[in-house]
Amino acid sequence: MDGSAHVDALLVGGPSGAPARVRISRADMASKIKLRHLDGYEHFEREAGTDAAMPVYRWTMRTKVAE
């Protein structure tokens, strides 16, 4: 697998215990990402003007897993 196909994204904010970094596909470098954490999802939005080599995503909200 080509190492350039993925990048580390820095996650800012969110609950304690949530990851501070996540490895994402360059193809998935959307404006928003959603991560499964405990019994819900943590939502992050990409900060404008961040470097593509280390994009920064800021926490925006948490949602519960639908049952």
Side-chain angles (χ1 to χ4, degrees):
M1 174 185 259
D2 179 9
S4 65
H6 291 83
V7 295
D8 287 331
L10 180 63
L11 303 179
V12 178
S16 63
R21 287 188 181 191
V22 65
R23 192 140 181 89
I24 59 174
S25 164
R26 285 190 185 274
D28 293 336
M29 282 196 335
S31 61
K32 298 178 183 181
I33 57 175
K34 178 173 78 170
L35 300 175
R36 181 80 186 256
H37 180 68
L38 301 175
D39 63 344
Y41 292 97
E42 306 304 333
H43 297 258
F44 296 83
E45 289 188 19
R46 187 170 177 184
E47 290 189 350
T50 59
D51 187 347
M54 176 65 85
V56 176
Y57 288 81
R58 186 164 299 277
W59 182 84
T60 57
M61 69 177 162
R62 174 175 175 74
T63 55
K64 292 278 189 177
V65 174
E67 293 187 36

